[in-house]
Amino acid sequence: MTTTVTLTGTGVPIPSPGRAGAGVLVRYGETMLQFDAGRGTVLRLTEAGVGLHELTALFVTHAHSDHVIGLPDVVLGRWIQDHVWQTGPLDLHLPAGAAAEFAARMLDPYAADIALRMEHVQEAPPELRPHAFACASEPREIWSRDGVTVEAVAVHHEPVPDAVAYRVRTPDGTVVISGDTRVCDEVEMLSRNADVLVHEACRTTALRAAVAGTPFEKIFAYHADTVALGGLAMRAGVGHLMLTHLIPAPDDEAGEGAFEQDVRLGGYAGTLSVGRDLMTATIG
C-alpha cells in the first residue's frame, strides 16, 4: 500500500480565498487519520474523495479555534449519515486541558437540532468517544492499529499550555505534523529522518521590521519562523517539507516563492512544497 498526506486546510484565522482552516489527512489503505479540523474541513475531505464515515480517527493539536471550529461539523455530519453507513462514533484523540474541555461541550449549542433530528430519523444522539492524553516532552504512543502508530509530543505554542505535534508511522515511512509551534527541539527530534514533515510557517525574519510594535509581533513570537524552520528540516534530514498555516497567506506564485526562499536560506535543500489546499505527498 501507499501512504498519502493531503493538506485539507492551509489557512489561518484570518480568511483567505481558497484556503480552509488547519487540517491534514494521512491515509494508509483503509486507515484514514485526520489531524485538526479547521473551517471547511468537511468540504475539503469531500473534495479529496473521503467520506466522513471513512475516517478512522481524528487528532487535535491544540484548542485554538482555527484548529477545532470544524470539529462539530465532522461529528454531526458523520452522525447525520450514520443511518446510511452505520459507522458509529469517531475516535477523537486530543491533549488534556482546554482541547478536551472544548470537545466535551462542543455539541451543546446543537441540542435543539439533535432533538429534532431524533424525532424523525436518528435513533440515538451523537456519541463522542474522546481519548484525552497528558502532554509530555518525550514522544509517547497514543494510538495503534493495522500497522499504523501515532505518537504525540508537547510543543512550544505558549501561551497555549497544551499543544502537541504528532508522528505517524506506517509500513511505508514516517509523517510528522507540527501543529502550531515555534521552531523547537521537540519537533526536530520527532522529525529525525521523517519522509514528510508538515509544518506551520511564518515569515518572521522577513517581516520583523514591518510588524514591530503591532499585535502581529506577539503573534509571530509563537509561530515557526521560515528561516529557522529550514535549519530544523536540514538538521533532521527531512525528505519532504510541506509548509502549511501560512503567515501571511501568499496570494500568488511570487508570494509562495518568498516562503521557499526563506526556507532555503535556512539551509534546507530537500523537496519543498508551499502548501495549497488538497496538495498531496506520497510515501511508498
Side-chain angles (χ1 to χ4, degrees):
M1 285 186 279
T2 298
T3 300
T4 60
V5 183
T6 302
L7 305 181
T8 58
T10 58
V12 294
I14 298 174
S16 179
R19 296 188 184 276
V24 181
L25 174 72
V26 179
R27 182 188 320 196
Y28 174 74
E30 295 183 357
T31 299
M32 301 193 190
L33 308 178
Q34 177 69 24
F35 294 83
D36 284 337
R39 71 168 68 92
T41 292
V42 168
L43 296 179
R44 286 290 185 263
L45 285 171
T46 302
E47 291 165 345
V50 177
L52 296 178
H53 64 284
E54 295 180 287
L55 290 179
T56 307
L58 195 150
F59 301 81
V60 173
T61 62
H62 66 294
H64 265 152
S65 61
D66 58 312
H67 292 253
V68 297
I69 200 167
L71 189 53
D73 194 17
V74 172
V75 173
L76 288 170
R78 183 180 169 103
W79 170 67
I80 288 170
Q81 62 187 28
D82 188 61
H83 63 281
V84 177
W85 302 107
Q86 298 180 341
T87 51
L90 179 65
D91 282 311
L92 177 62
H93 300 265
L94 66 184
E101 293 168 5
F102 169 81
R105 301 195 306 266
M106 69 181 182
L107 297 184
D108 290 352
Y110 303 97
D113 172 71
I114 291 169
L116 288 168
R117 293 183 187 278
M118 289 178 61
E119 286 183 10
H120 57 93
V121 177
Q122 307 303 126
E123 296 181 357
E127 178 186 350
L128 293 177
R129 198 153 59 191
H131 306 274
F133 58 88
C135 293
S137 58
E138 295 291 330
R140 54 175 293 194
E141 184 178 302
I142 61 168
W143 186 89
S144 178
R145 186 185 301 174
D146 299 329
V148 180
T149 62
V150 178
E151 301 163 280
V153 70
V155 296
H156 294 279
H157 192 42
E158 291 87 359
V160 178
D162 302 303
V164 297
Y166 290 104
R167 177 167 58 193
V168 185
R169 298 184 189 270
T170 79
D172 295 320
T174 302
V175 180
V176 174
I177 297 105
S178 73
D180 281 7
T181 178
R182 299 192 297 273
V183 171
C184 64
D185 293 341
E186 289 83 355
V187 173
E188 183 170 337
M189 172 182 60
L190 203 67
S191 304
R192 188 72 61 190
N193 297 320
D195 296 279
V196 176
L197 168 60
V198 181
H199 205 295
E200 70 132 277
C202 178
R203 299 196 65 222
T204 307
T205 297
L207 299 176
R208 182 172 286 115
V211 303
T214 74
F216 287 102
E217 186 173 25
K218 293 181 179 180
I219 293 171
F220 282 20
Y222 53 84
H223 287 285
D225 172 48
T226 41
V227 177
L229 177 57
L232 179 152
M234 175 191 64
R235 293 189 300 272
V238 170
H240 184 173
L241 174 61
M242 302 182 78
L243 306 183
T244 190
H245 199 276
L246 304 171
I247 307 175
D251 54 13
D252 55 24
E253 291 186 3
E256 293 177 348
F259 277 85
E260 180 172 0
Q261 290 171 10
D262 290 350
V263 172
R264 299 304 188 195
L265 182 62
Y268 181 66
T271 303
L272 174 63
S273 299
V274 180
R276 298 178 182 178
D277 285 20
L278 299 180
M279 181 179 283
T280 296
T282 300
I283 306 172

PDB file of all heavy atoms in Angstrom, residues 136-164:
ATOM      1  N   ALA A 136       3.485  15.530  26.986  1.00  0.00           N
ATOM      2  CA  ALA A 136       4.768  15.124  27.549  1.00  0.00           C
ATOM      3  C   ALA A 136       5.884  15.604  26.639  1.00  0.00           C
ATOM      4  O   ALA A 136       5.710  15.725  25.426  1.00  0.00           O
ATOM      5  CB  ALA A 136       4.829  13.610  27.710  1.00  0.00           C
ATOM      6  N   SER A 137       7.041  15.871  27.236  1.00  0.00           N
ATOM      7  CA  SER A 137       8.174  16.393  26.468  1.00  0.00           C
ATOM      8  C   SER A 137       8.897  15.311  25.680  1.00  0.00           C
ATOM      9  O   SER A 137       9.743  15.613  24.838  1.00  0.00           O
ATOM     10  CB  SER A 137       9.166  17.085  27.405  1.00  0.00           C
ATOM     11  OG  SER A 137       9.621  16.184  28.408  1.00  0.00           O
ATOM     12  N   GLU A 138       8.582  14.045  25.950  1.00  0.00           N
ATOM     13  CA  GLU A 138       9.121  12.933  25.177  1.00  0.00           C
ATOM     14  C   GLU A 138       7.987  12.297  24.384  1.00  0.00           C
ATOM     15  O   GLU A 138       6.859  12.198  24.872  1.00  0.00           O
ATOM     16  CB  GLU A 138       9.754  11.884  26.104  1.00  0.00           C
ATOM     17  CG  GLU A 138      10.975  12.374  26.868  1.00  0.00           C
ATOM     18  CD  GLU A 138      12.165  12.610  25.953  1.00  0.00           C
ATOM     19  OE1 GLU A 138      12.262  11.908  24.925  1.00  0.00           O
ATOM     20  OE2 GLU A 138      12.995  13.471  26.271  1.00  0.00           O
ATOM     21  N   PRO A 139       8.243  11.839  23.160  1.00  0.00           N
ATOM     22  CA  PRO A 139       7.180  11.222  22.366  1.00  0.00           C
ATOM     23  C   PRO A 139       6.589  10.013  23.068  1.00  0.00           C
ATOM     24  O   PRO A 139       7.324   9.205  23.656  1.00  0.00           O
ATOM     25  CB  PRO A 139       7.893  10.818  21.068  1.00  0.00           C
ATOM     26  CG  PRO A 139       9.102  11.681  21.004  1.00  0.00           C
ATOM     27  CD  PRO A 139       9.526  11.905  22.423  1.00  0.00           C
ATOM     28  N   ARG A 140       5.250   9.900  22.984  1.00  0.00           N
ATOM     29  CA  ARG A 140       4.587   8.734  23.555  1.00  0.00           C
ATOM     30  C   ARG A 140       3.540   8.246  22.565  1.00  0.00           C
ATOM     31  O   ARG A 140       2.856   9.034  21.929  1.00  0.00           O
ATOM     32  CB  ARG A 140       3.920   9.060  24.900  1.00  0.00           C
ATOM     33  CG  ARG A 140       2.980  10.223  24.868  1.00  0.00           C
ATOM     34  CD  ARG A 140       2.254  10.428  26.181  1.00  0.00           C
ATOM     35  NE  ARG A 140       1.337   9.337  26.482  1.00  0.00           N
ATOM     36  CZ  ARG A 140       0.405   9.389  27.418  1.00  0.00           C
ATOM     37  NH1 ARG A 140       0.296  10.466  28.183  1.00  0.00           N
ATOM     38  NH2 ARG A 140      -0.397   8.376  27.631  1.00  0.00           N
ATOM     39  N   GLU A 141       3.426   6.938  22.449  1.00  0.00           N
ATOM     40  CA  GLU A 141       2.444   6.360  21.537  1.00  0.00           C
ATOM     41  C   GLU A 141       1.053   6.513  22.127  1.00  0.00           C
ATOM     42  O   GLU A 141       0.820   6.176  23.280  1.00  0.00           O
ATOM     43  CB  GLU A 141       2.764   4.889  21.293  1.00  0.00           C
ATOM     44  CG  GLU A 141       1.839   4.226  20.276  1.00  0.00           C
ATOM     45  CD  GLU A 141       2.214   2.779  20.010  1.00  0.00           C
ATOM     46  OE1 GLU A 141       3.375   2.541  19.594  1.00  0.00           O
ATOM     47  OE2 GLU A 141       1.362   1.900  20.226  1.00  0.00           O
ATOM     48  N   ILE A 142       0.122   7.028  21.313  1.00  0.00           N
ATOM     49  CA  ILE A 142      -1.239   7.216  21.798  1.00  0.00           C
ATOM     50  C   ILE A 142      -2.269   6.430  20.987  1.00  0.00           C
ATOM     51  O   ILE A 142      -3.439   6.346  21.381  1.00  0.00           O
ATOM     52  CB  ILE A 142      -1.633   8.709  21.797  1.00  0.00           C
ATOM     53  CG1 ILE A 142      -1.577   9.280  20.376  1.00  0.00           C
ATOM     54  CG2 ILE A 142      -0.763   9.504  22.757  1.00  0.00           C
ATOM     55  CD1 ILE A 142      -2.228  10.643  20.262  1.00  0.00           C
ATOM     56  N   TRP A 143      -1.856   5.863  19.851  1.00  0.00           N
ATOM     57  CA  TRP A 143      -2.815   5.124  19.010  1.00  0.00           C
ATOM     58  C   TRP A 143      -2.051   4.159  18.133  1.00  0.00           C
ATOM     59  O   TRP A 143      -0.956   4.464  17.652  1.00  0.00           O
ATOM     60  CB  TRP A 143      -3.593   6.111  18.141  1.00  0.00           C
ATOM     61  CG  TRP A 143      -4.707   5.509  17.335  1.00  0.00           C
ATOM     62  CD1 TRP A 143      -6.005   5.328  17.699  1.00  0.00           C
ATOM     63  CD2 TRP A 143      -4.601   4.991  15.987  1.00  0.00           C
ATOM     64  NE1 TRP A 143      -6.724   4.744  16.672  1.00  0.00           N
ATOM     65  CE2 TRP A 143      -5.888   4.536  15.606  1.00  0.00           C
ATOM     66  CE3 TRP A 143      -3.565   4.900  15.070  1.00  0.00           C
ATOM     67  CZ2 TRP A 143      -6.150   3.977  14.370  1.00  0.00           C
ATOM     68  CZ3 TRP A 143      -3.812   4.335  13.825  1.00  0.00           C
ATOM     69  CH2 TRP A 143      -5.101   3.879  13.489  1.00  0.00           C
ATOM     70  N   SER A 144      -2.636   2.970  17.905  1.00  0.00           N
ATOM     71  CA  SER A 144      -2.006   1.983  17.044  1.00  0.00           C
ATOM     72  C   SER A 144      -3.074   1.044  16.497  1.00  0.00           C
ATOM     73  O   SER A 144      -3.960   0.605  17.235  1.00  0.00           O
ATOM     74  CB  SER A 144      -0.960   1.180  17.825  1.00  0.00           C
ATOM     75  OG  SER A 144      -0.365   0.188  17.012  1.00  0.00           O
ATOM     76  N   ARG A 145      -2.980   0.767  15.177  1.00  0.00           N
ATOM     77  CA  ARG A 145      -3.920  -0.169  14.560  1.00  0.00           C
ATOM     78  C   ARG A 145      -3.417  -0.529  13.161  1.00  0.00           C
ATOM     79  O   ARG A 145      -2.967   0.342  12.417  1.00  0.00           O
ATOM     80  CB  ARG A 145      -5.319   0.443  14.466  1.00  0.00           C
ATOM     81  CG  ARG A 145      -6.399  -0.525  13.958  1.00  0.00           C
ATOM     82  CD  ARG A 145      -7.728   0.161  13.778  1.00  0.00           C
ATOM     83  NE  ARG A 145      -8.204   0.753  15.017  1.00  0.00           N
ATOM     84  CZ  ARG A 145      -9.306   1.510  15.095  1.00  0.00           C
ATOM     85  NH1 ARG A 145     -10.017   1.764  14.001  1.00  0.00           N
ATOM     86  NH2 ARG A 145      -9.680   2.011  16.251  1.00  0.00           N
ATOM     87  N   ASP A 146      -3.520  -1.802  12.838  1.00  0.00           N
ATOM     88  CA  ASP A 146      -3.251  -2.278  11.475  1.00  0.00           C
ATOM     89  C   ASP A 146      -1.909  -1.790  10.936  1.00  0.00           C
ATOM     90  O   ASP A 146      -1.787  -1.390   9.773  1.00  0.00           O
ATOM     91  CB  ASP A 146      -4.371  -1.848  10.526  1.00  0.00           C
ATOM     92  CG  ASP A 146      -5.739  -2.415  10.931  1.00  0.00           C
ATOM     93  OD1 ASP A 146      -5.755  -3.518  11.501  1.00  0.00           O
ATOM     94  OD2 ASP A 146      -6.754  -1.754  10.681  1.00  0.00           O
ATOM     95  N   GLY A 147      -0.888  -1.831  11.774  1.00  0.00           N
ATOM     96  CA  GLY A 147       0.451  -1.469  11.340  1.00  0.00           C
ATOM     97  C   GLY A 147       0.745   0.018  11.314  1.00  0.00           C
ATOM     98  O   GLY A 147       1.813   0.435  10.873  1.00  0.00           O
ATOM     99  N   VAL A 148      -0.201   0.832  11.787  1.00  0.00           N
ATOM    100  CA  VAL A 148      -0.024   2.286  11.823  1.00  0.00           C
ATOM    101  C   VAL A 148      -0.020   2.732  13.282  1.00  0.00           C
ATOM    102  O   VAL A 148      -0.888   2.327  14.066  1.00  0.00           O
ATOM    103  CB  VAL A 148      -1.147   3.011  11.056  1.00  0.00           C
ATOM    104  CG1 VAL A 148      -0.942   4.523  11.105  1.00  0.00           C
ATOM    105  CG2 VAL A 148      -1.209   2.520   9.617  1.00  0.00           C
ATOM    106  N   THR A 149       0.951   3.567  13.654  1.00  0.00           N
ATOM    107  CA  THR A 149       1.012   4.094  15.018  1.00  0.00           C
ATOM    108  C   THR A 149       1.074   5.620  14.972  1.00  0.00           C
ATOM    109  O   THR A 149       1.559   6.202  14.004  1.00  0.00           O
ATOM    110  CB  THR A 149       2.235   3.568  15.796  1.00  0.00           C
ATOM    111  OG1 THR A 149       3.433   3.999  15.126  1.00  0.00           O
ATOM    112  CG2 THR A 149       2.214   2.053  15.878  1.00  0.00           C
ATOM    113  N   VAL A 150       0.571   6.236  16.036  1.00  0.00           N
ATOM    114  CA  VAL A 150       0.623   7.688  16.182  1.00  0.00           C
ATOM    115  C   VAL A 150       1.234   8.011  17.535  1.00  0.00           C
ATOM    116  O   VAL A 150       0.812   7.467  18.562  1.00  0.00           O
ATOM    117  CB  VAL A 150      -0.775   8.327  16.082  1.00  0.00           C
ATOM    118  CG1 VAL A 150      -0.686   9.837  16.290  1.00  0.00           C
ATOM    119  CG2 VAL A 150      -1.413   8.014  14.729  1.00  0.00           C
ATOM    120  N   GLU A 151       2.236   8.886  17.517  1.00  0.00           N
ATOM    121  CA  GLU A 151       2.873   9.364  18.741  1.00  0.00           C
ATOM    122  C   GLU A 151       2.639  10.872  18.871  1.00  0.00           C
ATOM    123  O   GLU A 151       2.457  11.562  17.867  1.00  0.00           O
ATOM    124  CB  GLU A 151       4.371   9.091  18.716  1.00  0.00           C
ATOM    125  CG  GLU A 151       4.741   7.628  18.576  1.00  0.00           C
ATOM    126  CD  GLU A 151       6.183   7.461  18.150  1.00  0.00           C
ATOM    127  OE1 GLU A 151       6.457   7.602  16.946  1.00  0.00           O
ATOM    128  OE2 GLU A 151       7.032   7.210  19.035  1.00  0.00           O
ATOM    129  N   ALA A 152       2.665  11.367  20.097  1.00  0.00           N
ATOM    130  CA  ALA A 152       2.488  12.792  20.355  1.00  0.00           C
ATOM    131  C   ALA A 152       3.611  13.297  21.250  1.00  0.00           C
ATOM    132  O   ALA A 152       4.143  12.563  22.086  1.00  0.00           O
ATOM    133  CB  ALA A 152       1.140  13.054  21.034  1.00  0.00           C
ATOM    134  N   VAL A 153       3.967  14.575  21.060  1.00  0.00           N
ATOM    135  CA  VAL A 153       4.948  15.221  21.929  1.00  0.00           C
ATOM    136  C   VAL A 153       4.521  16.676  22.129  1.00  0.00           C
ATOM    137  O   VAL A 153       3.960  17.301  21.225  1.00  0.00           O
ATOM    138  CB  VAL A 153       6.370  15.153  21.326  1.00  0.00           C
ATOM    139  CG1 VAL A 153       6.511  16.046  20.095  1.00  0.00           C
ATOM    140  CG2 VAL A 153       7.429  15.510  22.367  1.00  0.00           C
ATOM    141  N   ALA A 154       4.761  17.204  23.318  1.00  0.00           N
ATOM    142  CA  ALA A 154       4.428  18.594  23.605  1.00  0.00           C
ATOM    143  C   ALA A 154       5.325  19.527  22.806  1.00  0.00           C
ATOM    144  O   ALA A 154       6.519  19.264  22.608  1.00  0.00           O
ATOM    145  CB  ALA A 154       4.586  18.874  25.100  1.00  0.00           C
ATOM    146  N   VAL A 155       4.742  20.640  22.318  1.00  0.00           N
ATOM    147  CA  VAL A 155       5.490  21.635  21.559  1.00  0.00           C
ATOM    148  C   VAL A 155       5.341  22.998  22.235  1.00  0.00           C
ATOM    149  O   VAL A 155       4.662  23.139  23.250  1.00  0.00           O
ATOM    150  CB  VAL A 155       5.019  21.692  20.095  1.00  0.00           C
ATOM    151  CG1 VAL A 155       5.300  20.372  19.401  1.00  0.00           C
ATOM    152  CG2 VAL A 155       3.544  22.051  20.002  1.00  0.00           C
ATOM    153  N   HIS A 156       5.987  24.010  21.639  1.00  0.00           N
ATOM    154  CA  HIS A 156       6.034  25.335  22.263  1.00  0.00           C
ATOM    155  C   HIS A 156       5.173  26.334  21.485  1.00  0.00           C
ATOM    156  O   HIS A 156       5.633  26.973  20.539  1.00  0.00           O
ATOM    157  CB  HIS A 156       7.478  25.809  22.360  1.00  0.00           C
ATOM    158  CG  HIS A 156       8.297  24.976  23.292  1.00  0.00           C
ATOM    159  ND1 HIS A 156       8.273  25.146  24.663  1.00  0.00           N
ATOM    160  CD2 HIS A 156       9.130  23.935  23.062  1.00  0.00           C
ATOM    161  CE1 HIS A 156       9.077  24.259  25.241  1.00  0.00           C
ATOM    162  NE2 HIS A 156       9.601  23.511  24.280  1.00  0.00           N
ATOM    163  N   HIS A 157       3.923  26.425  21.930  1.00  0.00           N
ATOM    164  CA  HIS A 157       2.986  27.375  21.339  1.00  0.00           C
ATOM    165  C   HIS A 157       2.448  28.302  22.441  1.00  0.00           C
ATOM    166  O   HIS A 157       1.318  28.758  22.385  1.00  0.00           O
ATOM    167  CB  HIS A 157       1.847  26.610  20.654  1.00  0.00           C
ATOM    168  CG  HIS A 157       0.978  27.445  19.772  1.00  0.00           C
ATOM    169  ND1 HIS A 157       1.477  28.405  18.906  1.00  0.00           N
ATOM    170  CD2 HIS A 157      -0.378  27.469  19.613  1.00  0.00           C
ATOM    171  CE1 HIS A 157       0.471  28.974  18.262  1.00  0.00           C
ATOM    172  NE2 HIS A 157      -0.668  28.432  18.677  1.00  0.00           N
ATOM    173  N   GLU A 158       3.292  28.531  23.448  1.00  0.00           N
ATOM    174  CA  GLU A 158       2.887  29.414  24.536  1.00  0.00           C
ATOM    175  C   GLU A 158       2.446  30.773  23.984  1.00  0.00           C
ATOM    176  O   GLU A 158       3.072  31.265  23.032  1.00  0.00           O
ATOM    177  CB  GLU A 158       4.059  29.601  25.513  1.00  0.00           C
ATOM    178  CG  GLU A 158       4.416  28.357  26.311  1.00  0.00           C
ATOM    179  CD  GLU A 158       5.406  27.448  25.562  1.00  0.00           C
ATOM    180  OE1 GLU A 158       5.776  27.800  24.424  1.00  0.00           O
ATOM    181  OE2 GLU A 158       5.805  26.407  26.107  1.00  0.00           O
ATOM    182  N   PRO A 159       1.334  31.304  24.516  1.00  0.00           N
ATOM    183  CA  PRO A 159       0.723  30.988  25.808  1.00  0.00           C
ATOM    184  C   PRO A 159      -0.248  29.822  25.831  1.00  0.00           C
ATOM    185  O   PRO A 159      -0.877  29.584  26.864  1.00  0.00           O
ATOM    186  CB  PRO A 159      -0.010  32.293  26.151  1.00  0.00           C
ATOM    187  CG  PRO A 159      -0.407  32.851  24.836  1.00  0.00           C
ATOM    188  CD  PRO A 159       0.728  32.519  23.916  1.00  0.00           C
ATOM    189  N   VAL A 160      -0.432  29.091  24.741  1.00  0.00           N
ATOM    190  CA  VAL A 160      -1.273  27.886  24.786  1.00  0.00           C
ATOM    191  C   VAL A 160      -0.536  26.827  25.608  1.00  0.00           C
ATOM    192  O   VAL A 160       0.589  26.445  25.263  1.00  0.00           O
ATOM    193  CB  VAL A 160      -1.548  27.358  23.368  1.00  0.00           C
ATOM    194  CG1 VAL A 160      -2.376  26.084  23.421  1.00  0.00           C
ATOM    195  CG2 VAL A 160      -2.262  28.422  22.544  1.00  0.00           C
ATOM    196  N   PRO A 161      -1.141  26.339  26.693  1.00  0.00           N
ATOM    197  CA  PRO A 161      -0.416  25.437  27.589  1.00  0.00           C
ATOM    198  C   PRO A 161      -0.347  23.999  27.102  1.00  0.00           C
ATOM    199  O   PRO A 161       0.576  23.273  27.446  1.00  0.00           O
ATOM    200  CB  PRO A 161      -1.225  25.521  28.892  1.00  0.00           C
ATOM    201  CG  PRO A 161      -2.615  25.836  28.446  1.00  0.00           C
ATOM    202  CD  PRO A 161      -2.469  26.708  27.228  1.00  0.00           C
ATOM    203  N   ASP A 162      -1.324  23.546  26.318  1.00  0.00           N
ATOM    204  CA  ASP A 162      -1.389  22.139  25.922  1.00  0.00           C
ATOM    205  C   ASP A 162      -1.461  22.048  24.406  1.00  0.00           C
ATOM    206  O   ASP A 162      -2.542  22.075  23.808  1.00  0.00           O
ATOM    207  CB  ASP A 162      -2.622  21.459  26.543  1.00  0.00           C
ATOM    208  CG  ASP A 162      -2.617  21.551  28.063  1.00  0.00           C
ATOM    209  OD1 ASP A 162      -1.629  21.082  28.662  1.00  0.00           O
ATOM    210  OD2 ASP A 162      -3.581  22.084  28.632  1.00  0.00           O
ATOM    211  N   ALA A 163      -0.301  21.935  23.772  1.00  0.00           N
ATOM    212  CA  ALA A 163      -0.218  21.834  22.314  1.00  0.00           C
ATOM    213  C   ALA A 163       0.768  20.733  21.968  1.00  0.00           C
ATOM    214  O   ALA A 163       1.800  20.568  22.638  1.00  0.00           O
ATOM    215  CB  ALA A 163       0.235  23.165  21.707  1.00  0.00           C
ATOM    216  N   VAL A 164       0.450  19.967  20.920  1.00  0.00           N
ATOM    217  CA  VAL A 164       1.292  18.824  20.579  1.00  0.00           C
ATOM    218  C   VAL A 164       1.548  18.760  19.082  1.00  0.00           C
ATOM    219  O   VAL A 164       0.810  19.316  18.268  1.00  0.00           O
ATOM    220  CB  VAL A 164       0.654  17.486  21.030  1.00  0.00           C
ATOM    221  CG1 VAL A 164       0.499  17.438  22.539  1.00  0.00           C
ATOM    222  CG2 VAL A 164      -0.679  17.244  20.331  1.00  0.00           C
TER     223      VAL A 164
END
